[in-house]
C-alpha cells in the first residue's frame, strides 16, 4: 500500500526537469541523441535529453520508454514505474509496453512491492497470460500459496501458454502443496511359462510434506510374493535450488530378502532453453555384500499440453552382462497438472521398479519389453486417483518367454 501511495504522489507531482543548457527543440533530434548516449552507457546525458524531450512532447512514447531504461540504469524503479503507469494509462497498446512492464517487475527484488505494481497496471488493461504467470510466481515468493495456486490452476488450460510459461506453472502447482497422504496397490499376474506363477502384490503408503520449496517424503512398501514377504522403508527429498534447478534424493533400507538391504538414489534436474529439462544421476543398490551402480540420463520436453520424456539406465554389471533400461514416457494434460493421461514403453527393467527389479538380478542378460498406460484424475481439490495397467514380455532362462500383466491403483489426499 505504501508503494502504491508513493507512486500516486509521484504521478501527481512528477514534472520532467528540463536538462540544463539543452536548447534543442526538435524532439526527433533529441530522441536520437538520447538513444546514442544510452548506447554509449552515458545514462546521465541520455536522461537529461529524455527529460527535455518529454517536456516538449509528453506524448512522445519512444522517448518515455528510453527514459524508463535510463531510470533502470540508475535503479530508480519508482520513477520508472511512474512512466510505465503513464503508458498504460495513455497508450496501453503501444509496442513494447507490456514487455517493459514485465522487465520492470523482474528488476524489483521485493515480491510484495512488485505485486503492488502488478495490481496497479492490472487496472489499466486486461493483461495476457505472461503477466498472470509472473504474478503467480511473485505470490509464491511472497508465501501466498493459495493465491498463487488459484492463478496457476486457472491458467493451466490456457492454449496460448508458451512451453516456458507452462513449465513455470507446473513448478508453482508442485510447490503449493503442503501435505499429502498416499496409498498405492500393485498386482502382477504371471503367465504359465513361469516356474513360480503365484501373483505378486505390493502395497505402499507415504506421507509428503513441503518445507518451503522442498518436499520430504516418507514411504513404507510391502511386497507379497506368496513364497516370501518383505518391507522397504524409504525417505525421499526434492530440494529446490532455483527456478531452474532441483534434485531428487532417496534412501531406502530393507532386510535384503527381496528389496536391497540399502538403496541410495540421486538425480539433478536442470531446465534449459525454456522447454527442456535435463536429468543426470545414479542409483546404488547393496545386496548381500555386493554393490550395484546404475547411471541415469534423461531429457524431458514440454510442448503445449504434452510432457515427453526419455530416460536411460545403464548398469549394474551383473554376471558378465551390462544391465540396460531405455524408456519413453508421455503425458497429455487436461485442465491442470493433476489431470492427465500417461503411457510408458521401454526395454529392460530399471532399479526404480522396486517390486520387480530382482528379476534383473536373476536374469540380467534376458530381454524385457513392456508397455503400460493409465490416467491420473483429481476428484475435487484434495483427492487424486490413479489407475494404470500394462504388459511386460520377458525372456526366461528355460528358453521360453513369459508375460506379466501389471495393474496399479493409487489414491492421494492433499491438505
Amino acid at each position: 500500500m505504501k508503494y502504491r501511495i508513493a507512486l500516486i504522489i509521484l504521478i501527481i507531482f512528477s514534472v520532467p526537469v528540463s536538462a540544463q543548457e539543452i536548447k534543442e527543440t526538435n524532439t526527433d533530434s533529441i530522441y536520437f541523441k538520447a538513444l546514442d548516449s544510452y548506447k554509449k552507457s552515458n545514462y546521465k546525458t541520455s536522461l537529461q535529453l529524455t527529460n527535455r524531450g518529454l517536456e516538449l512532447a509528453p506524448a512522445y512514447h519512444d522517448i518515455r520508454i528510453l527514459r524508463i531504461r535510463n531510470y533502470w540504469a540508475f535503479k530508480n524503479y519508482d520513477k520508472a514505474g511512474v512512466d510505465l503507469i503513464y503508458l498504460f494509462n495513455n497508450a496501453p497498446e503501444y509496442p513494447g509496453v507490456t514487455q517493459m512492464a514485465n522487465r520492470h517487475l523482474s528488476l524489483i527484488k521485493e515480491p510484495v512491492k512488485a505485486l503492488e505494481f502488478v495490481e496497479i497496471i492490472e487496472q489499466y488493461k486486461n493483461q495476457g497470460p505472461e503477466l498472470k504467470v509472473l504474478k503467480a510466481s511473485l505470490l509464491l515468493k511472497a508465501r501466498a500459496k493459495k493465491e498463487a495456486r488459484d492463478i496457476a490452476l486457472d491458467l493451466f488450460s490456457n492454449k496460448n501458454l508458451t512451453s516456458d510459461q507452462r513449465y513455470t506453472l507446473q513448478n508453482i502447482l508442485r510447490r503449493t502443496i503442503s501435505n499429502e497422504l498416499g496409498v498405492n496397490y500393485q498386482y502382477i499376474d504371471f503367465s504359465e511359462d513361469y516356474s513360480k506363477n503365484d501373483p505378486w502384490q505390493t502395497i505402499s503408503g507415504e506421507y509428503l510434506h513441503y518445507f518451503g520449496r522442498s518436499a520430504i517424503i516418507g514411504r513404507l512398501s510391502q511386497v507379497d510374493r506368496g513364497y516370501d514377504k518383505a518391507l522397504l522403508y524409504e525417505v525421499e527429498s526434492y530440494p529446490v535450488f532455483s527456478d531452474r534447478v532441483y534434485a531428487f534424493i532417496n534412501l531406502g533400507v530393507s532386510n535384503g530378502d527381496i528389496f536391497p538391504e540399502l538403496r541410495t538414489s540421486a538425480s539433478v534436474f536442470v531446465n534449459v532453453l525454456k522447454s527442456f529439462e535435463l536429468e543426470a544421476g545414479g542409483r546404488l543398490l547393496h545386496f548381500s555384500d555386493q554393490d550395484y551402480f546404475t547411471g541415469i540420463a534423461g531429457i524431458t520436453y514440454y510442448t503445449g499440453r504434452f510432457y515427453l520424456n526419455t530416460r536411460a539406465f545403464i548398469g549394474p554389471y551383473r554376471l558378465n552382462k551390462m544391465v540396460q533400461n531405455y524408456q519413453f514416457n508421455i503425458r497429455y494434460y487436461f485442465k491442470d497438472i493433476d489431470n492427465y493421461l500417461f503411457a510408458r514403453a521401454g526395454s529392460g527393467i530399471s532399479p526404480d521398479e522396486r517390486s520387480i527389479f530382482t528379476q534383473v538380478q536373476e536374469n540380467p542378460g534376458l530381454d524385457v519389453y513392456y508397455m503400460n498406460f493409465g490416467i491420473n484424475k483429481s476428484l475435487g481439490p484434495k483427492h487424486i486417483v490413479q489407475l494404470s495397467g500394462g504388459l511386460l514380455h520377458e525372456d526366461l532362462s528355460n528358453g521360453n518367454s513369459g508375460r506379466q500383466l501389471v495393474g496399479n491403483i493409487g489414491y492421494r489426499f492433499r491438505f
Side-chain angles (χ1 to χ4, degrees):
M1 183 59 70
K2 292 180 179 178
Y3 180 58
R4 182 180 296 184
I5 293 171
L7 284 175
I8 293 172
I9 292 172
L10 281 169
I11 292 172
I12 296 172
F13 295 104
S14 178
V15 178
V17 178
S18 179
Q20 294 180 359
E21 300 180 359
I22 296 178
K23 305 299 183 181
E24 179 70 67
T25 58
N26 185 311
T27 52
D28 287 334
S29 176
I30 290 173
Y31 170 70
F32 286 110
K33 287 179 180 179
L35 182 62
D36 182 64
S37 295
Y38 178 82
K39 290 179 178 179
K40 294 177 180 178
S41 300
N42 191 348
Y43 304 121
K44 183 178 180 181
T45 299
S46 182
L47 180 59
Q48 290 175 338
L49 287 164
T50 55
N51 285 341
R52 172 61 174 165
L54 290 176
E55 183 183 65
L56 295 170
Y60 199 137
H61 303 317
D62 284 337
I63 293 180
R64 193 173 297 275
I65 287 174
L66 182 57
R67 185 165 75 170
I68 291 170
R69 296 187 183 278
N70 282 306
Y71 283 144
W72 286 347
F74 289 111
K75 298 183 179 180
N76 194 334
Y77 302 127
D78 285 344
K79 288 189 176 181
V82 170
D83 275 342
L84 278 167
I85 291 171
Y86 174 92
L87 290 172
F88 272 102
N89 192 32
N90 294 279
E93 303 294 338
Y94 197 76
V97 172
T98 299
Q99 291 77 7
M100 292 286 287
N102 293 331
R103 172 62 176 161
H104 181 71
L105 286 167
S106 70
L107 295 171
I108 302 175
K109 302 304 181 182
E110 301 87 351
V112 174
K113 198 171 184 179
L115 282 168
E116 289 179 354
F117 183 77
V118 169
E119 292 175 0
I120 292 172
I121 62 177
E122 280 181 328
Q123 300 174 19
Y124 294 96
K125 179 185 176 185
N126 183 20
Q127 301 298 311
E130 185 175 4
L131 183 64
K132 292 181 180 178
V133 171
L134 182 54
K135 182 177 181 179
S137 299
L138 291 169
L139 285 166
L140 182 60
K141 291 179 181 179
R143 301 185 181 277
K145 287 187 175 182
K146 183 181 183 304
E147 292 84 351
R149 185 173 183 83
D150 288 344
I151 293 175
L153 286 171
D154 183 61
L155 282 176
F156 198 83
S157 59
N158 190 318
K159 296 180 180 180
N160 297 321
L161 291 174
T162 66
S163 298
D164 187 42
Q165 290 166 351
R166 193 171 297 278
Y167 179 83
T168 300
L169 292 177
Q170 285 178 321
N171 283 335
I172 291 171
L173 290 170
R174 289 192 189 101
R175 296 169 191 170
T176 51
I177 301 168
S178 296
N179 297 282
E180 189 173 286
L181 290 173
V183 61
N184 187 79
Y185 173 74
Q186 181 188 68
Y187 182 89
I188 303 176
D189 185 66
F190 294 86
S191 66
E192 295 180 355
D193 305 282
Y194 289 86
S195 58
K196 295 180 180 180
N197 57 6
D198 291 337
W200 291 1
Q201 302 178 70
T202 303
I203 187 168
S204 61
E206 65 180 44
Y207 169 69
L208 175 149
H209 180 72
Y210 272 91
F211 295 90
R213 301 173 70 185
S214 301
I216 301 292
I217 301 173
R219 182 185 300 112
L220 173 63
S221 303
Q222 182 189 53
V223 62
D224 183 354
R225 297 187 175 178
Y227 61 88
D228 200 0
K229 297 181 180 180
L231 292 172
L232 175 65
Y233 303 87
E234 294 178 278
V235 176
E236 283 183 7
S237 176
Y238 290 86
V240 177
F241 303 112
S242 71
D243 290 338
R244 300 296 183 187
V245 182
Y246 69 96
F248 160 77
I249 303 170
N250 173 280
L251 175 65
V253 295
S254 182
N255 59 11
D257 292 338
I258 295 177
F259 297 114
E261 296 168 275
L262 176 68
R263 58 173 287 121
T264 58
S265 308
S267 285
V268 175
F269 300 85
V270 180
N271 178 251
V272 297
L273 300 177
K274 297 185 177 181
S275 302
F276 291 89
E277 185 175 85
L278 305 180
E279 176 190 3
R283 308 287 186 263
L284 180 64
L285 310 180
H286 180 79
F287 281 96
S288 303
D289 299 325
Q290 295 279 340
D291 292 325
Y292 301 99
F293 177 77
T294 302
I296 302 171
I299 183 170
T300 300
Y301 176 53
Y302 297 87
T303 174
R305 296 190 178 188
F306 284 95
Y307 159 101
L308 307 174
N309 167 266
T310 183
R311 303 175 84 193
F313 296 77
I314 308 299
Y317 192 75
R318 170 79 174 162
L319 300 178
N320 298 318
K321 298 289 184 180
M322 180 64 72
V323 178
Q324 301 178 55
N325 166 246
Y326 303 96
Q327 59 183 243
F328 175 72
N329 301 279
I330 183 172
R331 293 180 187 174
Y332 176 78
Y333 290 96
F334 297 112
K335 60 181 181 179
D336 57 53
I337 194 173
D338 294 324
N339 292 273
Y340 57 87
L341 296 173
F342 63 91
R344 172 181 292 178
S347 64
I349 299 175
S350 79
D352 287 350
E353 302 288 347
R354 296 161 175 80
S355 61
I356 62 174
F357 187 69
T358 49
Q359 296 177 81
V360 176
Q361 299 295 105
E362 298 164 359
N363 303 308
L366 300 183
D367 292 332
V368 176
Y369 303 96
Y370 61 88
M371 176 176 288
N372 70 347
F373 55 91
I375 184 171
N376 200 84
K377 174 69 175 174
S378 64
L379 305 174
K382 295 184 178 181
H383 308 277
I384 298 173
V385 295
Q386 186 178 99
L387 297 172
S388 67
L391 175 66
L392 184 147
H393 178 93
E394 179 183 29
D395 286 345
L396 302 177
S397 57
N398 58 14
N400 295 328
S401 60
R403 291 179 300 279
Q404 301 174 23
L405 292 174
V406 182
N408 282 274
I409 181 170
Y411 167 75
R412 311 186 78 81
F413 174 70
R414 289 174 173 170
F415 59 100

